[in-house]
Coordinates of all heavy atoms in Angstrom, one line a residue:
C660 N 45.6 115.3 -17.7 CA 46.3 115.6 -16.5 C 47.7 115.0 -16.6 O 48.1 114.5 -17.7 CB 45.6 115.0 -15.3 SG 45.7 113.2 -15.2
T661 N 48.5 115.2 -15.6 CA 49.8 114.6 -15.5 C 49.9 113.8 -14.2 O 49.7 114.3 -13.2 CB 50.9 115.8 -15.5 OG1 50.7 116.6 -16.7 CG2 52.3 115.2 -15.5
F662 N 50.3 112.6 -14.4 CA 50.6 111.7 -13.3 C 52.0 111.8 -12.9 O 52.9 111.6 -13.7 CB 50.2 110.2 -13.6 CG 48.8 110.0 -13.7 CD1 48.3 109.1 -14.7 CD2 47.9 110.5 -12.9 CE1 46.9 108.8 -14.8 CE2 46.5 110.3 -13.0 CZ 46.0 109.4 -13.9
S663 N 52.3 112.1 -11.6 CA 53.7 112.2 -11.1 C 54.3 110.8 -10.9 O 55.5 110.7 -10.9 CB 53.7 113.0 -9.8 OG 52.9 112.3 -8.8
T664 N 53.5 109.8 -10.8 CA 54.0 108.4 -10.6 C 53.2 107.4 -11.4 O 52.1 107.7 -11.9 CB 53.9 108.0 -9.1 OG1 52.5 108.0 -8.7 CG2 54.7 108.9 -8.2
F665 N 53.7 106.2 -11.6 CA 53.0 105.1 -12.3 C 51.7 104.8 -11.5 O 51.7 104.8 -10.3 CB 54.0 103.9 -12.3 CG 53.3 102.7 -12.8 CD1 53.1 102.4 -14.1 CD2 52.8 101.7 -11.8 CE1 52.5 101.2 -14.5 CE2 52.2 100.6 -12.2 CZ 52.0 100.3 -13.6
K666 N 50.7 104.5 -12.3 CA 49.4 104.2 -11.7 C 49.0 102.7 -12.1 O 48.9 102.4 -13.2 CB 48.3 105.1 -12.1 CG 48.6 106.6 -11.8 CD 48.7 106.9 -10.3 CE 49.0 108.3 -10.0 NZ 49.3 108.5 -8.6
S667 N 48.9 101.9 -11.1 CA 48.5 100.5 -11.3 C 47.0 100.5 -11.6 O 46.3 101.5 -11.4 CB 48.8 99.6 -10.1 OG 48.0 100.0 -9.0
K668 N 46.5 99.3 -11.9 CA 45.0 99.2 -12.1 C 44.3 99.6 -10.9 O 43.2 100.2 -10.9 CB 44.7 97.8 -12.6 CG 45.1 97.4 -14.0 CD 44.6 96.0 -14.3 CE 45.0 95.6 -15.7 NZ 44.6 94.2 -16.1
N669 N 44.8 99.1 -9.7 CA 44.1 99.4 -8.5 C 44.2 100.9 -8.2 O 43.2 101.5 -7.6 CB 44.7 98.7 -7.3 CG 44.1 97.3 -7.1 OD1 43.2 96.9 -7.9 ND2 44.6 96.5 -6.2
D670 N 45.3 101.6 -8.5 CA 45.4 103.0 -8.4 C 44.3 103.7 -9.2 O 43.7 104.7 -8.8 CB 46.8 103.5 -8.8 CG 47.9 103.1 -7.9 OD1 47.6 102.8 -6.7 OD2 49.0 103.0 -8.3
I671 N 44.1 103.3 -10.4 CA 43.1 103.9 -11.3 C 41.7 103.6 -10.7 O 40.9 104.6 -10.7 CB 43.2 103.3 -12.7 CG1 44.6 103.6 -13.4 CG2 42.1 103.8 -13.6 CD1 44.8 105.1 -13.6
L672 N 41.4 102.4 -10.3 CA 40.1 102.1 -9.7 C 39.9 103.1 -8.5 O 38.8 103.6 -8.3 CB 40.1 100.7 -9.2 CG 39.8 99.6 -10.3 CD1 40.2 98.2 -9.9 CD2 38.4 99.7 -10.7
D673 N 40.9 103.3 -7.7 CA 40.8 104.1 -6.5 C 40.4 105.6 -6.9 O 39.5 106.2 -6.3 CB 42.1 104.2 -5.7 CG 42.0 104.7 -4.3 OD1 41.5 103.9 -3.4 OD2 42.2 105.9 -4.1
L674 N 41.1 106.1 -8.0 CA 40.8 107.4 -8.5 C 39.4 107.5 -9.1 O 38.7 108.5 -8.9 CB 41.8 107.8 -9.6 CG 43.3 108.1 -9.0 CD1 44.2 108.3 -10.2 CD2 43.3 109.3 -8.1
V675 N 39.0 106.4 -9.8 CA 37.6 106.4 -10.4 C 36.6 106.5 -9.3 O 35.6 107.2 -9.4 CB 37.4 105.2 -11.3 CG1 36.0 105.1 -11.8 CG2 38.3 105.3 -12.5
C676 N 36.8 105.7 -8.3 CA 35.8 105.7 -7.2 C 35.8 107.0 -6.5 O 34.7 107.5 -6.0 CB 36.1 104.5 -6.2 SG 35.7 102.9 -6.8
D677 N 36.9 107.6 -6.3 CA 37.0 109.0 -5.7 C 36.2 110.0 -6.6 O 35.5 110.8 -6.1 CB 38.5 109.4 -5.7 CG 39.0 109.6 -4.2 OD1 38.1 109.5 -3.3 OD2 40.2 109.8 -4.1
A678 N 36.4 109.9 -7.9 CA 35.8 110.8 -8.8 C 34.2 110.6 -8.7 O 33.5 111.6 -8.7 CB 36.2 110.5 -10.3
M679 N 33.8 109.4 -8.6 CA 32.3 109.2 -8.5 C 31.7 109.7 -7.2 O 30.7 110.4 -7.2 CB 32.0 107.7 -8.6 CG 32.3 107.1 -10.0 SD 31.6 105.4 -10.2 CE 32.5 104.4 -9.0
T680 N 32.4 109.5 -6.1 CA 31.9 110.1 -4.8 C 32.0 111.6 -4.8 O 31.1 112.3 -4.3 CB 32.6 109.4 -3.6 OG1 34.0 109.7 -3.8 CG2 32.3 108.0 -3.5
T681 N 33.1 112.1 -5.3 CA 33.3 113.6 -5.3 C 32.2 114.3 -6.2 O 31.6 115.3 -5.7 CB 34.7 113.9 -5.9 OG1 35.7 113.4 -5.1 CG2 34.9 115.4 -6.0
Y682 N 31.9 113.7 -7.3 CA 30.8 114.3 -8.2 C 29.5 114.3 -7.5 O 28.8 115.3 -7.5 CB 30.7 113.5 -9.5 CG 29.8 114.1 -10.5 CD1 30.4 115.0 -11.5 CD2 28.5 113.9 -10.6 CE1 29.5 115.6 -12.4 CE2 27.6 114.4 -11.5 CZ 28.2 115.3 -12.4 OH 27.4 115.9 -13.3
A683 N 29.1 113.2 -6.8 CA 27.8 113.0 -6.2 C 27.7 114.0 -5.0 O 26.6 114.6 -4.8 CB 27.6 111.6 -5.7
N684 N 28.7 114.2 -4.3 CA 28.7 115.0 -3.1 C 29.0 116.5 -3.3 O 28.9 117.3 -2.3 CB 29.6 114.4 -2.0 CG 29.2 113.1 -1.5 OD1 28.0 112.8 -1.5 ND2 30.1 112.2 -1.1
D685 N 29.2 116.9 -4.5 CA 29.4 118.3 -4.8 C 28.0 118.9 -4.7 O 27.0 118.5 -5.4 CB 29.9 118.4 -6.3 CG 30.3 119.8 -6.6 OD1 29.6 120.8 -6.2 OD2 31.2 120.0 -7.4
P686 N 27.9 120.0 -4.0 CA 26.5 120.6 -3.8 C 25.8 121.0 -5.1 O 24.6 121.0 -5.2 CB 26.9 121.9 -3.0 CG 28.1 121.5 -2.2 CD 28.9 120.6 -3.1
K687 N 26.6 121.3 -6.1 CA 25.9 121.7 -7.4 C 25.3 120.5 -8.1 O 24.6 120.6 -9.1 CB 26.9 122.4 -8.3 CG 28.0 121.5 -8.9 CD 29.0 122.3 -9.7 CE 30.2 121.5 -10.2 NZ 31.2 122.3 -11.0
H688 N 25.6 119.3 -7.6 CA 25.0 118.1 -8.2 C 24.0 117.4 -7.2 O 23.6 116.2 -7.4 CB 26.1 117.1 -8.6 CG 27.1 117.6 -9.5 ND1 28.4 117.3 -9.4 CD2 26.9 118.4 -10.6 CE1 29.1 117.9 -10.4 NE2 28.2 118.5 -11.2
E689 N 23.5 118.1 -6.3 CA 22.6 117.5 -5.2 C 21.3 116.9 -5.8 O 20.7 116.1 -5.2 CB 22.3 118.5 -4.2 CG 21.5 119.7 -4.6 CD 21.2 120.7 -3.5 OE1 21.6 120.4 -2.4 OE2 20.6 121.7 -3.8
S690 N 20.9 117.4 -7.0 CA 19.7 116.9 -7.6 C 19.8 115.4 -8.0 O 18.8 114.7 -8.2 CB 19.4 117.7 -8.9 OG 20.4 117.5 -9.9

Side-chain angles (χ1 to χ4, degrees):
C660 72
T661 301
F662 288 141
S663 59
T664 60
F665 170 82
K666 302 299 180 188
S667 67
K668 288 184 181 181
N669 274 0
D670 293 334
I671 299 293
L672 282 163
D673 198 81
L674 290 172
V675 171
C676 287
D677 245 354
M679 293 193 296
T680 56
T681 299
Y682 188 93
N684 292 332
D685 188 327
K687 66 184 179 184
H688 300 141
E689 62 181 359
S690 63

